[in-house]
Amino acid sequence: MSKRWRAYLLDRLVGILGLAAAFIGLLFLVVLIVSIFKLGIARLSWDFLTSFPSRFPEKAGIYPAIVGSLWIFVGTALFAIPLGVSAAIYLEEYAKKSWLANVLEINIANLAGVPSIIYGILGLEIFVRTLQMGQSILAGSLTLALLVLPVVIVVAREALRAVPPSIREAAYALGATKWQTIWKQVLPAAFGNILTGIILALARAIGEAAPLIVVGALTYVPFIPRSPMDEFTVLPIQIFNWVSRPQHGFVINAAAAIIVLLVLVLGLNGIAIFLRYRSQRKVRW
Amino acid sequence: MRYGLFLFGIFLVGLLSSCGKQSQQSAESQRAVVRIDGSSTVYPLSEAVAEEFRQVAPDIHVLIGVSGTGGGFKKFIRGETDINDASRPIRAIEDSLCRTNGIAYIELPIAYDAMCVLVNPQNDWVDYLTVEELRTIWAPEAQGKILYWDQIRPEWPHEELHLYGPGVESGTYDYFTKAIVGKEHASRGDYTSSEDDNVIIQGVASDRYALAFVGLAYALNNKDRVKIVPIDDGNDQNGAGPILPSPETVRNGTYQPLSRPLFIYVNRQSADRPAVEQFVHFYIEHMPALAPDVGYVPLSEKAYQLVKQRFQQRITGSIFGAHGSQVGVQVEALLEQAGQP
């Protein structure tokens, strides 16, 4: 066999293996979605979405959990996005190569690998106890914001770095200040990619249960939270509770709640993709 | 970037409004709230009571968290909760921490749970098990030694024994080891453990040579998938021969030693708040009807009366002497003893 032929075969083989690898992830997703839908789709109804928890599976619903999840989602976004993007702007545009920048960089990268339950313990001590926020949505949001912050920062930096330096130089040449350049040119150009990172981070936040349980998220909440200081529960905690109940009806409820969570995450992703699409259309140099 | 400005605006408003809320905290604490945390085993009971309680007192917010019996006590000891759900009596260390923090508690047994020993429906050789045999199977010494069914009883097949059980962090495990091995937290380690009893059921249902233990509600809800094994405790005074777990045999004390009481611990100071007091009374009153709904066994009528008295008289401290799990307890007798002035 000639050398060229071998190289060609190897090339094809790697291609096929890559395809298979890509499909394995997809396969598991499909299996998961199919089994969940088969189990839970019949349980979905308006009543299910608007009822409170109950000891009878067929009467139980996820109203407080949905509202709690939305509160947490919005709260986490409000804290994580401005902080994360500001940090990324500093590190990428302002920070000089110094030991301080290096220390920050290494720490942020490391934070991304810290288990989420550790953030829960941190949030419990700092927000719930020291700052006396109690077991509130505010405390939960801040904890999750800390959790996703490293991801937001890392992705936002990548996005800023992807903006060609020529754009900045052109802005400076026309007499713009550094901030004018960032605000008017760099950020709009990077907006789409930043958004992708934000959505990935927030999708993670909405699926978290462990740190919120530590912070003091409840399982049974008989009312709809009305302010950031109210107690709350979220969908993953409700699902977790139902999965481990003895009656089979609760397992079906869990499947139905998982579908709702999936739709929620996909819907939010959809909005982000739409926004990104619009922003990319607007960017013209 | 108008989105960014917009979001930042909301962020500021949110911050300000939450600061405003902070100053309302004193008003917030006046809001009628009953805070509960603790055992996931007791959670369905508290949830059922809270659900019914909402019908009669919609203005009182009952909040229930699930951090496990021990995790719940940690919050209870800090005074963060009014009631702790517990699947075992309070431990000495928890009791002394309560003292140092100036927290007195009222201990109220509310229902029974039981541990059931399960095998696969196709297992046609196990007719019953004695406590002695269970000890042979589960004792720490059995690790790596008791591996075949015929090592338990010679006439059983020479097939591998596959053990399943709850994780070592659970109250169910604590009680089972105490009742069978004689020491809390002592058992062999080479068994398949899961925090989720449904996973254990799954294991037994698909494995002919499996043996497991789970809570009563899980066993009774899966009768068609697993076989429940009668247990002989060798003590003929509480029913002779092997006894099958059922609501009746648990309540009349014949299914021993694997029946156990469940508790709520009420903070003595909280008990004087009308919302908490009303809720606890409601809890005790409705247990006989609500416990079976979620798969547990109510205490006797007399026991509930004694529990009610105990709460009304605000008798603090543990009837178990804060020694953790105890085996074969008769709640009624203990309460009666404790009720004597």
Side-chain angles (χ1 to χ4, degrees):
Chain A
M1 221 186 318
S2 76
K3 236 180 175 175
R4 236 184 99 187
W5 186 237
R6 273 221 320 256
Y8 172 75
L9 263 186
L10 185 70
D11 183 49
R12 289 300 298 266
L13 195 68
V14 168
I16 292 168
L17 279 178
L19 189 71
F23 264 99
I24 283 178
L26 196 67
L27 188 75
F28 277 107
L29 186 68
V30 168
V31 168
L32 179 80
I33 288 180
V34 167
S35 64
I36 290 294
F37 267 72
K38 256 168 70 181
L39 194 60
I41 195 81
R43 181 68 186 84
L44 278 181
S45 66
W46 187 245
D47 272 349
F48 182 69
L49 298 178
T50 56
S51 294
F52 285 91
S54 163
R55 68 183 179 285
F56 302 112
E58 59 284 1
K59 270 170 64 182
I62 51 172
Y63 190 25
I66 292 185
V67 178
S69 273
L70 288 175
W71 266 104
I72 287 289
F73 179 84
V74 173
T76 306
L78 290 184
F79 291 111
I81 295 171
L83 280 177
V85 175
S86 310
I89 290 174
Y90 170 77
L91 287 172
E92 207 49 47
E93 306 286 333
Y94 286 91
K96 307 237 161 31
K97 278 271 167 246
S98 68
W99 65 270
L100 181 68
N102 272 333
V103 167
L104 282 177
E105 216 159 302
I106 291 168
N107 276 303
I108 288 167
N110 277 335
L111 277 178
V114 172
S116 61
I117 193 117
I118 306 292
Y119 283 97
I121 296 169
L122 185 78
L124 177 69
E125 277 310 320
I126 295 181
F127 301 127
V128 177
R129 291 188 173 149
T130 309
L131 297 177
Q132 303 214 323
M133 290 175 189
Q135 307 169 344
S136 60
I137 290 171
L138 184 66
S141 304
L142 283 166
T143 306
L144 287 189
L146 284 187
L147 173 73
V148 301
L149 204 51
V151 179
V152 175
I153 294 174
V154 168
V155 178
R157 287 188 64 185
E158 294 291 333
L160 293 174
R161 212 173 298 156
V163 176
S166 54
I167 300 296
R168 295 185 183 81
E169 281 151 19
Y172 294 145
L174 292 172
T177 63
K178 192 158 195 162
W179 176 241
Q180 280 171 328
T181 308
I182 293 168
W183 185 249
K184 293 260 162 74
Q185 296 299 328
V186 179
L187 271 182
F191 182 68
N193 287 338
I194 292 179
L195 206 58
T196 313
I198 289 171
I199 283 303
L200 280 178
L202 290 180
R204 177 176 176 197
I206 209 171
E208 282 287 351
L212 289 178
I213 290 179
V214 177
V215 168
L218 302 158
T219 306
Y220 179 84
V221 179
F223 61 92
I224 294 306
R226 295 196 192 288
S227 89
M229 297 313 291
D230 278 345
E231 297 84 358
F232 68 101
T233 188
V234 290
L235 277 170
I237 294 180
Q238 184 66 71
I239 291 166
F240 177 64
N241 178 260
W242 275 341
V243 165
S244 57
R245 295 283 281 263
Q247 292 83 3
H248 186 62
F250 284 117
V251 178
I252 296 172
N253 281 4
I258 289 171
I259 297 174
V260 174
L261 186 60
L262 274 176
V263 170
L264 218 61
V265 172
L266 288 181
L268 293 165
N269 278 354
I271 293 173
I273 289 168
F274 173 73
L275 285 178
R276 188 173 63 192
Y277 172 72
R278 270 195 29 183
S279 79
Q280 273 164 353
R281 254 194 344 189
K282 271 195 279 182
V283 176
R284 291 232 170 77
W285 288 310
Chain B
M1 275 324 286
R2 257 170 291 140
Y3 301 115
L5 268 182
F6 178 63
L7 282 177
F8 200 70
I10 300 180
F11 165 69
L12 283 180
V13 170
L15 256 190
L16 287 176
S17 71
S18 60
C19 289
K21 278 279 164 3
Q22 278 286 353
S23 55
Q24 286 172 20
Q25 276 269 297
S26 50
E28 279 249 326
S29 58
Q30 299 301 315
R31 187 179 57 147
V33 172
V34 180
R35 284 175 196 280
I36 308 177
D37 207 315
S39 161
S40 59
T41 308
V42 185
Y43 171 80
L45 287 166
S46 290
E47 186 196 53
V49 176
E51 183 191 356
E52 289 306 310
F53 190 63
R54 208 163 80 87
Q55 313 294 328
V56 299
D59 296 335
I60 299 175
H61 286 170
V62 179
L63 307 169
I64 313 172
V66 178
S67 329
T69 302
F73 268 127
K74 280 188 189 132
K75 293 184 180 174
F76 187 80
I77 286 160
R78 298 177 69 116
E80 292 174 353
T81 51
D82 303 313
I83 296 173
N84 194 46
D85 289 342
S87 61
R88 56 158 172 83
I90 191 166
R91 291 204 174 117
I93 176 90
E94 291 158 346
D95 178 75
S96 71
L97 281 170
C98 276
R99 271 169 225 269
T100 35
N101 284 5
I103 298 224
Y105 58 83
I106 309 168
E107 176 187 65
L108 305 173
I110 44 156
Y112 290 115
D113 184 21
M115 264 117 262
C116 300
V117 177
L118 307 176
V119 293
N120 186 278
Q122 284 178 31
N123 177 325
D124 46 17
W125 57 91
V126 173
D127 39 2
Y128 71 94
L129 280 162
T130 67
V131 170
E132 201 53 47
E133 285 166 340
L134 281 174
R135 189 174 305 138
T136 313
I137 299 170
W138 286 97
E141 312 75 272
Q143 177 146 354
K145 294 217 182 82
I146 306 295
L147 301 172
Y148 297 95
W149 280 94
D150 59 352
Q151 286 174 295
I152 308 167
R153 246 183 251 173
E155 62 265 34
W156 286 349
H158 184 71
E159 296 285 355
E160 271 184 39
L161 171 68
H162 301 150
L163 294 172
Y164 297 78
V168 297
E169 291 302 313
S170 71
T172 313
Y173 173 83
D174 279 351
Y175 188 87
F176 186 85
T177 48
K178 176 88 180 177
I180 296 302
V181 182
K183 192 163 164 245
E184 223 175 90
H185 240 74
S187 84
R188 65 194 297 172
D190 54 347
Y191 71 98
T192 309
S193 81
S194 168
E195 299 303 326
D196 182 350
D197 279 7
N198 286 323
V199 174
I200 299 171
I201 299 265
Q202 194 91 40
V204 176
S206 58
D207 178 353
R208 187 166 179 217
Y209 303 105
L211 181 118
F213 64 96
V214 297
L216 179 69
Y218 294 90
L220 294 184
N221 268 291
N222 290 283
K223 267 182 174 165
D224 48 335
R225 301 170 65 203
V226 295
K227 185 165 127 189
I228 306 175
V229 181
I231 303 296
D232 186 355
D233 67 348
N235 176 1
D236 286 352
Q237 277 166 2
N238 54 20
I243 287 167
L244 202 65
S246 73
E248 294 73 43
T249 56
V250 169
R251 184 166 24 190
N252 63 25
T254 53
Y255 183 67
Q256 290 291 358
L258 290 175
S259 302
R260 62 163 171 178
L262 303 174
F263 306 87
I264 54 172
Y265 284 78
V266 185
N267 183 318
R268 171 68 185 80
Q269 272 182 331
S270 306
D272 287 341
R273 290 208 332 259
V276 177
E277 186 172 22
Q278 198 187 339
F279 179 76
V280 173
H281 273 300
F282 190 90
Y283 207 124
I284 301 166
E285 240 157 64
H286 289 76
M287 251 319 92
L290 292 179
D293 273 358
V294 289
Y296 295 103
V297 181
L299 311 176
S300 68
E301 238 169 81
K302 177 131 180 265
Y304 280 119
Q305 262 167 19
L306 293 166
V307 170
K308 200 167 185 174
Q309 268 176 30
R310 191 177 173 78
F311 181 63
Q312 268 163 352
Q313 294 167 4
R314 304 281 195 269
I315 299 171
T316 57
S318 172
I319 47 177
F320 297 90
H323 291 312
S325 297
Q326 279 185 36
V327 174
V329 291
Q330 289 301 307
V331 167
E332 220 171 282
L334 276 172
L335 283 169
E336 245 171 359
Q337 250 174 21
Q340 306 298 326

